[in-house]
Amino acid sequence: METQVKIENLQQLRAQIKTLRLQQAEQELYFLEKKQSFQDAIKSPFKFLKK
C-alpha cells in the first residue's frame, strides 16, 4: 500500500514523518500481538497433552 503525498515544505515533511512513525508503531504492536496469539495457539494443545 503506497500512497503519494505531495510535501511542499519542512512542516509537512515533519508531519509526514510523525505519521509514518505512528503507523510503524501501530503495525509493530499489531504483529507482536498476532505473534503472541499464534504462539499461544501452538502451545495450547501441548498443555492439554501434558495433563
Side-chain angles (χ1 to χ4, degrees), residues 11-34:
Q11 183 179 4
Q12 290 176 346
L13 176 60
R14 288 180 177 147
Q16 184 64 20
I17 290 170
K18 287 181 181 181
T19 301
L20 292 172
R21 286 184 177 154
L22 179 60
Q23 288 176 356
Q24 177 186 8
E26 289 173 345
Q27 289 175 355
E28 287 175 353
L29 181 59
Y30 171 79
F31 284 113
L32 284 173
E33 289 173 351
K34 284 293 187 182

mmCIF file with all atom_site columns, all heavy atoms in Angstrom, residues 11-34:
data_model
loop_
_atom_site.group_PDB
_atom_site.id
_atom_site.type_symbol
_atom_site.label_atom_id
_atom_site.label_alt_id
_atom_site.label_comp_id
_atom_site.label_asym_id
_atom_site.label_entity_id
_atom_site.label_seq_id
_atom_site.pdbx_PDB_ins_code
_atom_site.Cartn_x
_atom_site.Cartn_y
_atom_site.Cartn_z
_atom_site.occupancy
_atom_site.B_iso_or_equiv
_atom_site.pdbx_formal_charge
_atom_site.auth_seq_id
_atom_site.auth_comp_id
_atom_site.auth_asym_id
_atom_site.auth_atom_id
_atom_site.pdbx_PDB_model_num
ATOM 1   N N   . GLN A 1 11 ? 7.517  21.781  7.306  1.00 0.00 ? 11 GLN A N   1
ATOM 2   C CA  . GLN A 1 11 ? 6.481  21.457  8.289  1.00 0.00 ? 11 GLN A CA  1
ATOM 3   C C   . GLN A 1 11 ? 5.687  20.231  7.839  1.00 0.00 ? 11 GLN A C   1
ATOM 4   O O   . GLN A 1 11 ? 5.405  19.340  8.643  1.00 0.00 ? 11 GLN A O   1
ATOM 5   C CB  . GLN A 1 11 ? 5.552  22.649  8.477  1.00 0.00 ? 11 GLN A CB  1
ATOM 6   C CG  . GLN A 1 11 ? 4.491  22.426  9.526  1.00 0.00 ? 11 GLN A CG  1
ATOM 7   C CD  . GLN A 1 11 ? 3.595  23.654  9.702  1.00 0.00 ? 11 GLN A CD  1
ATOM 8   O OE1 . GLN A 1 11 ? 3.726  24.631  8.980  1.00 0.00 ? 11 GLN A OE1 1
ATOM 9   N NE2 . GLN A 1 11 ? 2.705  23.581  10.661 1.00 0.00 ? 11 GLN A NE2 1
ATOM 10  N N   . GLN A 1 12 ? 5.344  20.152  6.574  1.00 0.00 ? 12 GLN A N   1
ATOM 11  C CA  . GLN A 1 12 ? 4.625  18.996  6.049  1.00 0.00 ? 12 GLN A CA  1
ATOM 12  C C   . GLN A 1 12 ? 5.493  17.736  6.106  1.00 0.00 ? 12 GLN A C   1
ATOM 13  O O   . GLN A 1 12 ? 5.000  16.641  6.389  1.00 0.00 ? 12 GLN A O   1
ATOM 14  C CB  . GLN A 1 12 ? 4.170  19.257  4.617  1.00 0.00 ? 12 GLN A CB  1
ATOM 15  C CG  . GLN A 1 12 ? 3.072  20.271  4.498  1.00 0.00 ? 12 GLN A CG  1
ATOM 16  C CD  . GLN A 1 12 ? 2.712  20.570  3.056  1.00 0.00 ? 12 GLN A CD  1
ATOM 17  O OE1 . GLN A 1 12 ? 3.460  20.217  2.131  1.00 0.00 ? 12 GLN A OE1 1
ATOM 18  N NE2 . GLN A 1 12 ? 1.576  21.228  2.864  1.00 0.00 ? 12 GLN A NE2 1
ATOM 19  N N   . LEU A 1 13 ? 6.778  17.898  5.849  1.00 0.00 ? 13 LEU A N   1
ATOM 20  C CA  . LEU A 1 13 ? 7.699  16.764  5.927  1.00 0.00 ? 13 LEU A CA  1
ATOM 21  C C   . LEU A 1 13 ? 7.754  16.218  7.351  1.00 0.00 ? 13 LEU A C   1
ATOM 22  O O   . LEU A 1 13 ? 7.668  15.001  7.557  1.00 0.00 ? 13 LEU A O   1
ATOM 23  C CB  . LEU A 1 13 ? 9.096  17.177  5.464  1.00 0.00 ? 13 LEU A CB  1
ATOM 24  C CG  . LEU A 1 13 ? 10.182 16.102  5.581  1.00 0.00 ? 13 LEU A CG  1
ATOM 25  C CD1 . LEU A 1 13 ? 9.833  14.881  4.744  1.00 0.00 ? 13 LEU A CD1 1
ATOM 26  C CD2 . LEU A 1 13 ? 11.531 16.675  5.180  1.00 0.00 ? 13 LEU A CD2 1
ATOM 27  N N   . ARG A 1 14 ? 7.879  17.103  8.318  1.00 0.00 ? 14 ARG A N   1
ATOM 28  C CA  . ARG A 1 14 ? 7.925  16.666  9.713  1.00 0.00 ? 14 ARG A CA  1
ATOM 29  C C   . ARG A 1 14 ? 6.625  15.997  10.130 1.00 0.00 ? 14 ARG A C   1
ATOM 30  O O   . ARG A 1 14 ? 6.637  14.988  10.852 1.00 0.00 ? 14 ARG A O   1
ATOM 31  C CB  . ARG A 1 14 ? 8.244  17.852  10.616 1.00 0.00 ? 14 ARG A CB  1
ATOM 32  C CG  . ARG A 1 14 ? 9.677  18.307  10.490 1.00 0.00 ? 14 ARG A CG  1
ATOM 33  C CD  . ARG A 1 14 ? 9.992  19.474  11.391 1.00 0.00 ? 14 ARG A CD  1
ATOM 34  N NE  . ARG A 1 14 ? 11.408 19.829  11.297 1.00 0.00 ? 14 ARG A NE  1
ATOM 35  C CZ  . ARG A 1 14 ? 11.867 21.042  11.417 1.00 0.00 ? 14 ARG A CZ  1
ATOM 36  N NH1 . ARG A 1 14 ? 11.052 22.061  11.650 1.00 0.00 ? 14 ARG A NH1 1
ATOM 37  N NH2 . ARG A 1 14 ? 13.169 21.274  11.321 1.00 0.00 ? 14 ARG A NH2 1
ATOM 38  N N   . ALA A 1 15 ? 5.503  16.528  9.679  1.00 0.00 ? 15 ALA A N   1
ATOM 39  C CA  . ALA A 1 15 ? 4.208  15.925  9.991  1.00 0.00 ? 15 ALA A CA  1
ATOM 40  C C   . ALA A 1 15 ? 4.099  14.533  9.368  1.00 0.00 ? 15 ALA A C   1
ATOM 41  O O   . ALA A 1 15 ? 3.605  13.588  10.001 1.00 0.00 ? 15 ALA A O   1
ATOM 42  C CB  . ALA A 1 15 ? 3.072  16.814  9.506  1.00 0.00 ? 15 ALA A CB  1
ATOM 43  N N   . GLN A 1 16 ? 4.581  14.392  8.142  1.00 0.00 ? 16 GLN A N   1
ATOM 44  C CA  . GLN A 1 16 ? 4.534  13.090  7.474  1.00 0.00 ? 16 GLN A CA  1
ATOM 45  C C   . GLN A 1 16 ? 5.443  12.085  8.177  1.00 0.00 ? 16 GLN A C   1
ATOM 46  O O   . GLN A 1 16 ? 5.079  10.910  8.329  1.00 0.00 ? 16 GLN A O   1
ATOM 47  C CB  . GLN A 1 16 ? 4.945  13.237  5.998  1.00 0.00 ? 16 GLN A CB  1
ATOM 48  C CG  . GLN A 1 16 ? 4.839  11.967  5.207  1.00 0.00 ? 16 GLN A CG  1
ATOM 49  C CD  . GLN A 1 16 ? 3.421  11.443  5.080  1.00 0.00 ? 16 GLN A CD  1
ATOM 50  O OE1 . GLN A 1 16 ? 2.461  12.176  5.256  1.00 0.00 ? 16 GLN A OE1 1
ATOM 51  N NE2 . GLN A 1 16 ? 3.290  10.173  4.783  1.00 0.00 ? 16 GLN A NE2 1
ATOM 52  N N   . ILE A 1 17 ? 6.584  12.507  8.638  1.00 0.00 ? 17 ILE A N   1
ATOM 53  C CA  . ILE A 1 17 ? 7.494  11.624  9.379  1.00 0.00 ? 17 ILE A CA  1
ATOM 54  C C   . ILE A 1 17 ? 6.824  11.145  10.661 1.00 0.00 ? 17 ILE A C   1
ATOM 55  O O   . ILE A 1 17 ? 6.874  9.956   10.991 1.00 0.00 ? 17 ILE A O   1
ATOM 56  C CB  . ILE A 1 17 ? 8.835  12.325  9.675  1.00 0.00 ? 17 ILE A CB  1
ATOM 57  C CG1 . ILE A 1 17 ? 9.621  12.497  8.377  1.00 0.00 ? 17 ILE A CG1 1
ATOM 58  C CG2 . ILE A 1 17 ? 9.651  11.544  10.702 1.00 0.00 ? 17 ILE A CG2 1
ATOM 59  C CD1 . ILE A 1 17 ? 10.848 13.384  8.503  1.00 0.00 ? 17 ILE A CD1 1
ATOM 60  N N   . LYS A 1 18 ? 6.169  12.043  11.382 1.00 0.00 ? 18 LYS A N   1
ATOM 61  C CA  . LYS A 1 18 ? 5.467  11.654  12.605 1.00 0.00 ? 18 LYS A CA  1
ATOM 62  C C   . LYS A 1 18 ? 4.351  10.659  12.305 1.00 0.00 ? 18 LYS A C   1
ATOM 63  O O   . LYS A 1 18 ? 4.158  9.677   13.032 1.00 0.00 ? 18 LYS A O   1
ATOM 64  C CB  . LYS A 1 18 ? 4.902  12.878  13.315 1.00 0.00 ? 18 LYS A CB  1
ATOM 65  C CG  . LYS A 1 18 ? 5.958  13.718  13.983 1.00 0.00 ? 18 LYS A CG  1
ATOM 66  C CD  . LYS A 1 18 ? 5.350  14.917  14.688 1.00 0.00 ? 18 LYS A CD  1
ATOM 67  C CE  . LYS A 1 18 ? 6.444  15.769  15.328 1.00 0.00 ? 18 LYS A CE  1
ATOM 68  N NZ  . LYS A 1 18 ? 5.896  16.921  16.042 1.00 0.00 ? 18 LYS A NZ  1
ATOM 69  N N   . THR A 1 19 ? 3.627  10.907  11.221 1.00 0.00 ? 19 THR A N   1
ATOM 70  C CA  . THR A 1 19 ? 2.551  9.995   10.826 1.00 0.00 ? 19 THR A CA  1
ATOM 71  C C   . THR A 1 19 ? 3.094  8.605   10.518 1.00 0.00 ? 19 THR A C   1
ATOM 72  O O   . THR A 1 19 ? 2.546  7.592   10.954 1.00 0.00 ? 19 THR A O   1
ATOM 73  C CB  . THR A 1 19 ? 1.803  10.559  9.601  1.00 0.00 ? 19 THR A CB  1
ATOM 74  O OG1 . THR A 1 19 ? 1.259  11.834  9.933  1.00 0.00 ? 19 THR A OG1 1
ATOM 75  C CG2 . THR A 1 19 ? 0.696  9.628   9.160  1.00 0.00 ? 19 THR A CG2 1
ATOM 76  N N   . LEU A 1 20 ? 4.184  8.564   9.777  1.00 0.00 ? 20 LEU A N   1
ATOM 77  C CA  . LEU A 1 20 ? 4.780  7.278   9.417  1.00 0.00 ? 20 LEU A CA  1
ATOM 78  C C   . LEU A 1 20 ? 5.330  6.540   10.639 1.00 0.00 ? 20 LEU A C   1
ATOM 79  O O   . LEU A 1 20 ? 5.205  5.313   10.735 1.00 0.00 ? 20 LEU A O   1
ATOM 80  C CB  . LEU A 1 20 ? 5.878  7.479   8.375  1.00 0.00 ? 20 LEU A CB  1
ATOM 81  C CG  . LEU A 1 20 ? 5.382  7.926   6.996  1.00 0.00 ? 20 LEU A CG  1
ATOM 82  C CD1 . LEU A 1 20 ? 6.566  8.288   6.107  1.00 0.00 ? 20 LEU A CD1 1
ATOM 83  C CD2 . LEU A 1 20 ? 4.522  6.867   6.356  1.00 0.00 ? 20 LEU A CD2 1
ATOM 84  N N   . ARG A 1 21 ? 5.902  7.270   11.568 1.00 0.00 ? 21 ARG A N   1
ATOM 85  C CA  . ARG A 1 21 ? 6.411  6.634   12.788 1.00 0.00 ? 21 ARG A CA  1
ATOM 86  C C   . ARG A 1 21 ? 5.264  6.067   13.622 1.00 0.00 ? 21 ARG A C   1
ATOM 87  O O   . ARG A 1 21 ? 5.381  4.982   14.203 1.00 0.00 ? 21 ARG A O   1
ATOM 88  C CB  . ARG A 1 21 ? 7.239  7.618   13.598 1.00 0.00 ? 21 ARG A CB  1
ATOM 89  C CG  . ARG A 1 21 ? 8.598  7.865   12.973 1.00 0.00 ? 21 ARG A CG  1
ATOM 90  C CD  . ARG A 1 21 ? 9.456  8.765   13.814 1.00 0.00 ? 21 ARG A CD  1
ATOM 91  N NE  . ARG A 1 21 ? 10.783 8.909   13.200 1.00 0.00 ? 21 ARG A NE  1
ATOM 92  C CZ  . ARG A 1 21 ? 11.564 9.939   13.385 1.00 0.00 ? 21 ARG A CZ  1
ATOM 93  N NH1 . ARG A 1 21 ? 11.196 10.938  14.168 1.00 0.00 ? 21 ARG A NH1 1
ATOM 94  N NH2 . ARG A 1 21 ? 12.746 9.992   12.793 1.00 0.00 ? 21 ARG A NH2 1
ATOM 95  N N   . LEU A 1 22 ? 4.160  6.778   13.677 1.00 0.00 ? 22 LEU A N   1
ATOM 96  C CA  . LEU A 1 22 ? 2.986  6.286   14.388 1.00 0.00 ? 22 LEU A CA  1
ATOM 97  C C   . LEU A 1 22 ? 2.437  5.027   13.720 1.00 0.00 ? 22 LEU A C   1
ATOM 98  O O   . LEU A 1 22 ? 2.116  4.045   14.389 1.00 0.00 ? 22 LEU A O   1
ATOM 99  C CB  . LEU A 1 22 ? 1.910  7.368   14.454 1.00 0.00 ? 22 LEU A CB  1
ATOM 100 C CG  . LEU A 1 22 ? 0.617  6.991   15.159 1.00 0.00 ? 22 LEU A CG  1
ATOM 101 C CD1 . LEU A 1 22 ? 0.875  6.601   16.612 1.00 0.00 ? 22 LEU A CD1 1
ATOM 102 C CD2 . LEU A 1 22 ? -0.377 8.129   15.084 1.00 0.00 ? 22 LEU A CD2 1
ATOM 103 N N   . GLN A 1 23 ? 2.351  5.041   12.406 1.00 0.00 ? 23 GLN A N   1
ATOM 104 C CA  . GLN A 1 23 ? 1.892  3.863   11.676 1.00 0.00 ? 23 GLN A CA  1
ATOM 105 C C   . GLN A 1 23 ? 2.816  2.674   11.919 1.00 0.00 ? 23 GLN A C   1
ATOM 106 O O   . GLN A 1 23 ? 2.354  1.539   12.087 1.00 0.00 ? 23 GLN A O   1
ATOM 107 C CB  . GLN A 1 23 ? 1.807  4.161   10.178 1.00 0.00 ? 23 GLN A CB  1
ATOM 108 C CG  . GLN A 1 23 ? 0.677  5.070   9.797  1.00 0.00 ? 23 GLN A CG  1
ATOM 109 C CD  . GLN A 1 23 ? 0.692  5.416   8.314  1.00 0.00 ? 23 GLN A CD  1
ATOM 110 O OE1 . GLN A 1 23 ? 1.601  5.042   7.563  1.00 0.00 ? 23 GLN A OE1 1
ATOM 111 N NE2 . GLN A 1 23 ? -0.335 6.140   7.881  1.00 0.00 ? 23 GLN A NE2 1
ATOM 112 N N   . GLN A 1 24 ? 4.099  2.933   11.943 1.00 0.00 ? 24 GLN A N   1
ATOM 113 C CA  . GLN A 1 24 ? 5.065  1.869   12.192 1.00 0.00 ? 24 GLN A CA  1
ATOM 114 C C   . GLN A 1 24 ? 4.856  1.264   13.578 1.00 0.00 ? 24 GLN A C   1
ATOM 115 O O   . GLN A 1 24 ? 4.841  0.047   13.742 1.00 0.00 ? 24 GLN A O   1
ATOM 116 C CB  . GLN A 1 24 ? 6.487  2.400   12.066 1.00 0.00 ? 24 GLN A CB  1
ATOM 117 C CG  . GLN A 1 24 ? 7.542  1.357   12.373 1.00 0.00 ? 24 GLN A CG  1
ATOM 118 C CD  . GLN A 1 24 ? 8.963  1.923   12.379 1.00 0.00 ? 24 GLN A CD  1
ATOM 119 O OE1 . GLN A 1 24 ? 9.157  3.136   12.298 1.00 0.00 ? 24 GLN A OE1 1
ATOM 120 N NE2 . GLN A 1 24 ? 9.934  1.054   12.463 1.00 0.00 ? 24 GLN A NE2 1
ATOM 121 N N   . ALA A 1 25 ? 4.678  2.115   14.581 1.00 0.00 ? 25 ALA A N   1
ATOM 122 C CA  . ALA A 1 25 ? 4.470  1.633   15.948 1.00 0.00 ? 25 ALA A CA  1
ATOM 123 C C   . ALA A 1 25 ? 3.180  0.814   16.046 1.00 0.00 ? 25 ALA A C   1
ATOM 124 O O   . ALA A 1 25 ? 3.158  -0.234  16.700 1.00 0.00 ? 25 ALA A O   1
ATOM 125 C CB  . ALA A 1 25 ? 4.418  2.817   16.916 1.00 0.00 ? 25 ALA A CB  1
ATOM 126 N N   . GLU A 1 26 ? 2.133  1.266   15.382 1.00 0.00 ? 26 GLU A N   1
ATOM 127 C CA  . GLU A 1 26 ? 0.869  0.528   15.392 1.00 0.00 ? 26 GLU A CA  1
ATOM 128 C C   . GLU A 1 26 ? 1.022  -0.837  14.737 1.00 0.00 ? 26 GLU A C   1
ATOM 129 O O   . GLU A 1 26 ? 0.524  -1.838  15.242 1.00 0.00 ? 26 GLU A O   1
ATOM 130 C CB  . GLU A 1 26 ? -0.220 1.327   14.674 1.00 0.00 ? 26 GLU A CB  1
ATOM 131 C CG  . GLU A 1 26 ? -0.685 2.548   15.427 1.00 0.00 ? 26 GLU A CG  1
ATOM 132 C CD  . GLU A 1 26 ? -1.629 3.417   14.616 1.00 0.00 ? 26 GLU A CD  1
ATOM 133 O OE1 . GLU A 1 26 ? -1.715 3.251   13.377 1.00 0.00 ? 26 GLU A OE1 1
ATOM 134 O OE2 . GLU A 1 26 ? -2.286 4.276   15.233 1.00 0.00 ? 26 GLU A OE2 1
ATOM 135 N N   . GLN A 1 27 ? 1.730  -0.875  13.614 1.00 0.00 ? 27 GLN A N   1
ATOM 136 C CA  . GLN A 1 27 ? 1.931  -2.145  12.916 1.00 0.00 ? 27 GLN A CA  1
ATOM 137 C C   . GLN A 1 27 ? 2.804  -3.097  13.731 1.00 0.00 ? 27 GLN A C   1
ATOM 138 O O   . GLN A 1 27 ? 2.545  -4.307  13.774 1.00 0.00 ? 27 GLN A O   1
ATOM 139 C CB  . GLN A 1 27 ? 2.543  -1.899  11.542 1.00 0.00 ? 27 GLN A CB  1
ATOM 140 C CG  . GLN A 1 27 ? 1.570  -1.254  10.586 1.00 0.00 ? 27 GLN A CG  1
ATOM 141 C CD  . GLN A 1 27 ? 2.206  -0.895  9.254  1.00 0.00 ? 27 GLN A CD  1
ATOM 142 O OE1 . GLN A 1 27 ? 3.420  -1.050  9.056  1.00 0.00 ? 27 GLN A OE1 1
ATOM 143 N NE2 . GLN A 1 27 ? 1.393  -0.403  8.339  1.00 0.00 ? 27 GLN A NE2 1
ATOM 144 N N   . GLU A 1 28 ? 3.826  -2.578  14.385 1.00 0.00 ? 28 GLU A N   1
ATOM 145 C CA  . GLU A 1 28 ? 4.687  -3.430  15.210 1.00 0.00 ? 28 GLU A CA  1
ATOM 146 C C   . GLU A 1 28 ? 3.887  -4.031  16.358 1.00 0.00 ? 28 GLU A C   1
ATOM 147 O O   . GLU A 1 28 ? 4.026  -5.218  16.661 1.00 0.00 ? 28 GLU A O   1
ATOM 148 C CB  . GLU A 1 28 ? 5.863  -2.628  15.742 1.00 0.00 ? 28 GLU A CB  1
ATOM 149 C CG  . GLU A 1 28 ? 6.907  -2.314  14.684 1.00 0.00 ? 28 GLU A CG  1
ATOM 150 C CD  . GLU A 1 28 ? 8.015  -1.407  15.184 1.00 0.00 ? 28 GLU A CD  1
ATOM 151 O OE1 . GLU A 1 28 ? 7.927  -0.897  16.332 1.00 0.00 ? 28 GLU A OE1 1
ATOM 152 O OE2 . GLU A 1 28 ? 8.980  -1.194  14.422 1.00 0.00 ? 28 GLU A OE2 1
ATOM 153 N N   . LEU A 1 29 ? 3.053  -3.233  16.992 1.00 0.00 ? 29 LEU A N   1
ATOM 154 C CA  . LEU A 1 29 ? 2.213  -3.730  18.079 1.00 0.00 ? 29 LEU A CA  1
ATOM 155 C C   . LEU A 1 29 ? 1.250  -4.794  17.569 1.00 0.00 ? 29 LEU A C   1
ATOM 156 O O   . LEU A 1 29 ? 1.081  -5.838  18.198 1.00 0.00 ? 29 LEU A O   1
ATOM 157 C CB  . LEU A 1 29 ? 1.442  -2.581  18.726 1.00 0.00 ? 29 LEU A CB  1
ATOM 158 C CG  . LEU A 1 29 ? 0.535  -2.952  19.896 1.00 0.00 ? 29 LEU A CG  1
ATOM 159 C CD1 . LEU A 1 29 ? 1.335  -3.600  21.023 1.00 0.00 ? 29 LEU A CD1 1
ATOM 160 C CD2 . LEU A 1 29 ? -0.199 -1.723  20.394 1.00 0.00 ? 29 LEU A CD2 1
ATOM 161 N N   . TYR A 1 30 ? 0.637  -4.545  16.427 1.00 0.00 ? 30 TYR A N   1
ATOM 162 C CA  . TYR A 1 30 ? -0.300 -5.500  15.837 1.00 0.00 ? 30 TYR A CA  1
ATOM 163 C C   . TYR A 1 30 ? 0.388  -6.842  15.582 1.00 0.00 ? 30 TYR A C   1
ATOM 164 O O   . TYR A 1 30 ? -0.140 -7.901  15.932 1.00 0.00 ? 30 TYR A O   1
ATOM 165 C CB  . TYR A 1 30 ? -0.864 -4.930  14.533 1.00 0.00 ? 30 TYR A CB  1
ATOM 166 C CG  . TYR A 1 30 ? -1.676 -5.908  13.739 1.00 0.00 ? 30 TYR A CG  1
ATOM 167 C CD1 . TYR A 1 30 ? -2.988 -6.196  14.091 1.00 0.00 ? 30 TYR A CD1 1
ATOM 168 C CD2 . TYR A 1 30 ? -1.133 -6.550  12.624 1.00 0.00 ? 30 TYR A CD2 1
ATOM 169 C CE1 . TYR A 1 30 ? -3.738 -7.104  13.357 1.00 0.00 ? 30 TYR A CE1 1
ATOM 170 C CE2 . TYR A 1 30 ? -1.873 -7.455  11.886 1.00 0.00 ? 30 TYR A CE2 1
ATOM 171 C CZ  . TYR A 1 30 ? -3.178 -7.728  12.252 1.00 0.00 ? 30 TYR A CZ  1
ATOM 172 O OH  . TYR A 1 30 ? -3.911 -8.628  11.527 1.00 0.00 ? 30 TYR A OH  1
ATOM 173 N N   . PHE A 1 31 ? 1.566  -6.804  14.975 1.00 0.00 ? 31 PHE A N   1
ATOM 174 C CA  . PHE A 1 31 ? 2.257  -8.048  14.654 1.00 0.00 ? 31 PHE A CA  1
ATOM 175 C C   . PHE A 1 31 ? 2.796  -8.747  15.902 1.00 0.00 ? 31 PHE A C   1
ATOM 176 O O   . PHE A 1 31 ? 2.836  -9.974  15.953 1.00 0.00 ? 31 PHE A O   1
ATOM 177 C CB  . PHE A 1 31 ? 3.359  -7.815  13.622 1.00 0.00 ? 31 PHE A CB  1
ATOM 178 C CG  . PHE A 1 31 ? 2.804  -7.627  12.242 1.00 0.00 ? 31 PHE A CG  1
ATOM 179 C CD1 . PHE A 1 31 ? 2.909  -6.412  11.598 1.00 0.00 ? 31 PHE A CD1 1
ATOM 180 C CD2 . PHE A 1 31 ? 2.158  -8.662  11.590 1.00 0.00 ? 31 PHE A CD2 1
ATOM 181 C CE1 . PHE A 1 31 ? 2.380  -6.229  10.337 1.00 0.00 ? 31 PHE A CE1 1
ATOM 182 C CE2 . PHE A 1 31 ? 1.621  -8.495  10.326 1.00 0.00 ? 31 PHE A CE2 1
ATOM 183 C CZ  . PHE A 1 31 ? 1.733  -7.273  9.690  1.00 0.00 ? 31 PHE A CZ  1
ATOM 184 N N   . LEU A 1 32 ? 3.191  -7.997  16.917 1.00 0.00 ? 32 LEU A N   1
ATOM 185 C CA  . LEU A 1 32 ? 3.604  -8.634  18.170 1.00 0.00 ? 32 LEU A CA  1
ATOM 186 C C   . LEU A 1 32 ? 2.425  -9.351  18.826 1.00 0.00 ? 32 LEU A C   1
ATOM 187 O O   . LEU A 1 32 ? 2.579  -10.462 19.339 1.00 0.00 ? 32 LEU A O   1
ATOM 188 C CB  . LEU A 1 32 ? 4.188  -7.596  19.131 1.00 0.00 ? 32 LEU A CB  1
ATOM 189 C CG  . LEU A 1 32 ? 5.594  -7.112  18.813 1.00 0.00 ? 32 LEU A CG  1
ATOM 190 C CD1 . LEU A 1 32 ? 5.978  -5.958  19.744 1.00 0.00 ? 32 LEU A CD1 1
ATOM 191 C CD2 . LEU A 1 32 ? 6.599  -8.248  18.948 1.00 0.00 ? 32 LEU A CD2 1
ATOM 192 N N   . GLU A 1 33 ? 1.249  -8.724  18.781 1.00 0.00 ? 33 GLU A N   1
ATOM 193 C CA  . GLU A 1 33 ? 0.054  -9.367  19.334 1.00 0.00 ? 33 GLU A CA  1
ATOM 194 C C   . GLU A 1 33 ? -0.313 -10.612 18.538 1.00 0.00 ? 33 GLU A C   1
ATOM 195 O O   . GLU A 1 33 ? -0.680 -11.632 19.114 1.00 0.00 ? 33 GLU A O   1
ATOM 196 C CB  . GLU A 1 33 ? -1.116 -8.380  19.348 1.00 0.00 ? 33 GLU A CB  1
ATOM 197 C CG  . GLU A 1 33 ? -0.956 -7.287  20.385 1.00 0.00 ? 33 GLU A CG  1
ATOM 198 C CD  . GLU A 1 33 ? -2.030 -6.216  20.288 1.00 0.00 ? 33 GLU A CD  1
ATOM 199 O OE1 . GLU A 1 33 ? -2.823 -6.213  19.313 1.00 0.00 ? 33 GLU A OE1 1
ATOM 200 O OE2 . GLU A 1 33 ? -2.082 -5.369  21.194 1.00 0.00 ? 33 GLU A OE2 1
ATOM 201 N N   . LYS A 1 34 ? -0.218 -10.537 17.206 1.00 0.00 ? 34 LYS A N   1
ATOM 202 C CA  . LYS A 1 34 ? -0.502 -11.705 16.369 1.00 0.00 ? 34 LYS A CA  1
ATOM 203 C C   . LYS A 1 34 ? 0.496  -12.826 16.647 1.00 0.00 ? 34 LYS A C   1
ATOM 204 O O   . LYS A 1 34 ? 0.129  -13.996 16.710 1.00 0.00 ? 34 LYS A O   1
ATOM 205 C CB  . LYS A 1 34 ? -0.449 -11.332 14.884 1.00 0.00 ? 34 LYS A CB  1
ATOM 206 C CG  . LYS A 1 34 ? -1.636 -10.589 14.413 1.00 0.00 ? 34 LYS A CG  1
ATOM 207 C CD  . LYS A 1 34 ? -2.855 -11.485 14.444 1.00 0.00 ? 34 LYS A CD  1
ATOM 208 C CE  . LYS A 1 34 ? -4.035 -10.819 13.812 1.00 0.00 ? 34 LYS A CE  1
ATOM 209 N NZ  . LYS A 1 34 ? -5.228 -11.658 13.887 1.00 0.00 ? 34 LYS A NZ  1
#
